[in-house]
């Protein structure tokens, strides 16, 4: 009987221990975001962390690939769609299948799907298309731009996508730049005012959350200010070229829109292909880490542009190992690979193991990515909301601007 009593006690102890082990702070929405992030980060392996830093193109983003490599993010490049003239339901179904792969992993960390939505949900069939930024800037109407952000967020969510690569807050200083239409104005004050789009996309940040990544709920999306920094000031307006300007000029002309964006609870920042005085932005530790993260206290995550780190070298991808070291070392948290993701994962893993890139840099990157995912409620609502499907294209034909309200619009 004594031995049976001991066995019973041991079993009870084991059951209690198992019960305690089942409580995971990161899965408890009642816990503060910081507590959840730290708890989850402490449980992650190097492979799981590097997976979170990897964003791949939807064309090779199978559920199996997401599960095997712990992929943290998927994107649609320009024109990358589930099918020609795909419906909202087709988009949402695709995102759902990918998300199942991400959630099937040991820790069940949801992936975040991103897409360009620079003047409406412009990759989706039948979406409402709004004027480009140059036209919206001419209205001098931040409230109009905010409402466009709200409408765009709903249409993007209708397709099951929670993250957009918008707005472009370049300050175009030379009309020869072929992408000048992506800029609200040559005047940084006008561009600053038009960061209201972020509040439309993400929701109005509460007073006690100013400066923190913020997404109001399942009808809003995480925003991405781009392209950091000086993309509108390149020499002779040459695209992706060199912005030749002193520090005062950079900070007074090209940087101000980022101040406002961060105050509005901006979730992510995308780095520019361009250079500043000959230094590639994708390798600029001073501007990404020292200034954006440390000086401006940006708490979201920094993402590369499409194959952005590849272009640190000329020709692109000539020394990919160096590009990874320079880009991640500069402070980029998520790499838009988008195709050669196994090469990226293998090379970054080797560099961390060989202490070329410190684990502290990896932890900073993953902490920021997880903070955004928790802040936007992705862990509680990882799947598309089918009730929003009817929002796609709902705003078509309903928008108009009254000249009396917008004297700048001719």
């Amino acid at each position: 009987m004594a031995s049976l009593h001991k066995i019973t006690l041991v079993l009870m102890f084991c059951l209690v221990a198992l019960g305690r082990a089942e409580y995971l702070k990161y899965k408890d929405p009642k816990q503060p975001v910081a507590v959840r992030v730290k708890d989850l980060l402490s449980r992650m392996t190097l492979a799981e962390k590097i997976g979170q830093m990897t964003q791949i193109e939807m064309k090779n983003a199978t559920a199996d690939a997401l599960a095997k490599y712990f992929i943290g993010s998927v994107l649609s490049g320009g024109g990358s769609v589930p099918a020609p003239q795909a419906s909202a339901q087709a988009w949402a179904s695709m995102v759902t299948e990918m998300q199942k792969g991400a959630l099937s992993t040991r820790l069940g960390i949801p992936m975040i799907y991103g897409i360009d939505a620079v003047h409406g949900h412009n990759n989706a069939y039948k979406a409402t298309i709004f004027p480009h930024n140059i036209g919206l800037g001419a209205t001098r109407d931040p409230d109009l731009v905010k409402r466009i952000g709200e409408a765009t967020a709903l249409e993007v969510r209708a397709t099951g996508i929670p993250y957009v690569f918008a707005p472009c807050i370049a300050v175009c200083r030379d009309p020869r730049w072929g992408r000048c239409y992506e800029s609200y104005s040559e005047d940084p004050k006008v561009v600053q005012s038009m960061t209201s789009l972020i509040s439309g996309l993400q929701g109005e940040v509460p007073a006690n959350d100013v400066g923190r990544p913020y997404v109001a709920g399942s009808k809003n999306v995480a925003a991405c200010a781009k392209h950091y920094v000086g993309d509108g000031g390149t020499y002779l307006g040459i695209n992706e070229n060199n912005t030749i300007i002193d520090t005062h000029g950079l900070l007074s002309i090209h940087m101000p829109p980022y101040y406002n964006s961060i105050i509005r609870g901006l979730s992510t920042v995308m780095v520019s292909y361009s250079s500043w005085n000959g230094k590639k932005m994708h390798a600029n530790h001073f501007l990404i880490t020292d200034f954006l993260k440390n000086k401006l206290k940006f708490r979201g995550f920094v993402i590369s542009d499409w194959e952005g780190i590849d272009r640190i070298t000329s020709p692109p991808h000539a020394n990919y190992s160096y590009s990874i070291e320079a880009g991640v070392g500069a402070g980029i948290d998520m790499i838009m690979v988008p195709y050669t993701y196994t090469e990226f994962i293998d090379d970054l893993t080797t560099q961390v193991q060989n202490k070329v890139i410190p684990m502290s840099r990896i932890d900073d990157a993953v902490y920021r990515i997880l903070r955004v995912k928790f802040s936007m409620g992705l862990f509680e609502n990882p799947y598309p909301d089918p009730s929003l499907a009817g929002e796609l294209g709902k705003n078509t034909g309903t928008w108009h601007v009254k000249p009396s309200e917008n004297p700048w619009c001719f």
Side-chain angles (χ1 to χ4, degrees):
M1 284 294 292
S3 60
L4 181 61
H5 180 65
K6 288 179 180 179
I7 291 170
T8 303
L9 287 174
V10 170
L11 287 171
M12 288 178 64
F13 177 79
C14 290
L15 287 170
V16 170
L18 283 171
R20 288 175 180 170
E22 287 174 1
Y23 175 66
L24 305 173
K25 287 183 180 179
Y26 79 89
K27 289 190 174 183
D28 185 355
K30 295 180 181 178
Q31 291 286 350
V33 167
V35 172
R36 300 179 75 184
V37 173
K38 290 176 183 177
D39 180 63
L40 178 51
L41 192 63
S42 70
R43 301 173 187 276
M44 296 174 71
T45 64
L46 177 59
E48 288 165 336
K49 291 176 180 178
I50 290 176
Q52 284 301 301
M53 297 173 66
T54 309
Q55 185 181 68
I56 67 175
E57 222 284 333
M58 60 88 82
K59 291 175 182 176
N60 54 9
T62 63
D64 288 343
L66 266 70
K68 181 178 180 180
Y69 296 100
F70 311 105
I71 299 299
S73 184
V74 178
L75 84 150
S76 276
S80 185
V81 297
Q85 301 183 0
S87 65
Q89 291 86 349
W91 279 96
S93 177
M94 177 191 71
V95 174
T96 296
E97 289 308 306
M98 293 178 186
Q99 193 67 280
K100 286 179 180 178
L103 296 176
S104 71
T105 56
R106 181 178 71 96
L107 296 171
I109 304 173
M111 67 88 185
I112 181 171
Y113 197 107
I115 195 167
D116 272 321
V118 291
H119 56 127
H121 192 8
N122 49 285
N123 272 288
Y125 180 61
K126 289 189 175 181
T128 307
I129 301 300
F130 296 100
H132 269 301
N133 287 357
I134 193 169
L136 296 179
T139 69
R140 302 299 198 269
D141 190 341
D143 181 65
L144 172 68
V145 170
K146 179 184 176 182
R147 288 187 288 125
I148 288 173
E150 292 170 350
T152 300
L154 269 175
E155 296 204 20
V156 172
R157 280 288 193 170
T159 57
I161 297 173
Y163 175 32
V164 299
F165 307 125
C168 175
I169 53 173
V171 181
C172 179
R173 304 294 285 185
D174 191 324
R176 290 174 293 185
W177 184 38
R179 298 176 70 167
C180 207
Y181 63 88
E182 293 186 13
S183 172
Y184 290 109
S185 176
E186 66 178 352
D187 183 347
K189 290 183 180 178
V190 173
V191 182
Q192 283 181 280
S193 71
M194 297 301 168
T195 59
S196 57
L197 187 87
I198 294 168
S199 297
L201 292 169
Q202 297 193 157
E204 201 72 59
V205 61
N208 59 338
D209 281 334
V210 169
R212 297 179 183 178
Y214 178 79
V215 178
S218 60
K219 294 182 180 180
N220 296 93
V221 294
C224 179
K226 62 183 187 181
H227 305 83
Y228 186 82
V229 59
D231 50 337
T234 54
Y235 176 66
L236 300 179
I238 301 171
N239 192 39
E240 303 176 16
N241 204 254
N242 189 25
T243 298
I244 304 169
I245 195 170
D246 61 16
T247 302
H248 175 73
L250 186 79
L251 299 187
S252 62
I253 296 173
H254 299 286
M255 194 68 76
Y258 288 92
Y259 306 153
N260 297 73
S261 299
I262 293 169
I263 290 170
R264 291 181 184 276
L266 180 68
S267 295
T268 73
V269 167
M270 184 183 292
V271 182
S272 177
Y273 286 134
S274 59
S275 304
W276 177 43
N277 295 334
K279 178 76 171 180
K280 288 279 189 179
M281 274 305 311
H282 275 78
N284 197 313
H285 184 279
F286 168 71
L287 285 175
I288 297 173
T289 296
D290 297 337
F291 196 82
L292 179 65
K293 290 183 174 181
N294 296 339
K295 181 74 172 178
L296 299 185
K297 306 298 182 186
F298 173 61
R299 299 180 186 181
F301 67 79
V302 178
I303 187 169
S304 80
D305 206 333
W306 179 280
E307 295 182 338
I309 64 168
D310 303 50
R311 303 191 193 194
I312 291 173
T313 61
S314 183
H317 208 85
N319 186 343
Y320 197 49
S321 180
Y322 168 74
S323 291
I324 292 171
E325 179 185 350
V328 175
I332 301 175
D333 305 310
M334 183 178 285
I335 307 299
M336 192 182 292
V337 179
Y339 297 116
T340 58
Y341 61 92
T342 55
E343 180 185 10
F344 168 75
I345 289 170
D346 290 345
D347 281 6
L348 181 53
T349 301
T350 299
Q351 291 189 25
V352 176
Q353 290 172 339
N354 292 337
K355 297 182 170 31
V356 175
I357 293 177
M359 183 59 77
S360 59
R361 172 74 274 272
I362 302 299
D363 286 344
D364 170 61
V366 180
Y367 190 101
R368 290 169 174 273
I369 292 165
L370 295 177
R371 177 158 52 194
V372 168
K373 289 185 176 183
F374 279 119
S375 297
M376 64 190 297
L378 199 58
F379 279 77
E380 284 66 58
N381 297 292
Y383 291 115
D385 180 352
S387 71
L388 296 177
E391 296 292 336
L392 183 63
K394 187 177 180 180
N395 294 283
T396 304
T398 64
W399 287 79
H400 65 279
V401 181
K402 296 179 182 178
S404 60
E405 295 177 355
N406 300 282
W408 291 93
C409 188
F410 300 103

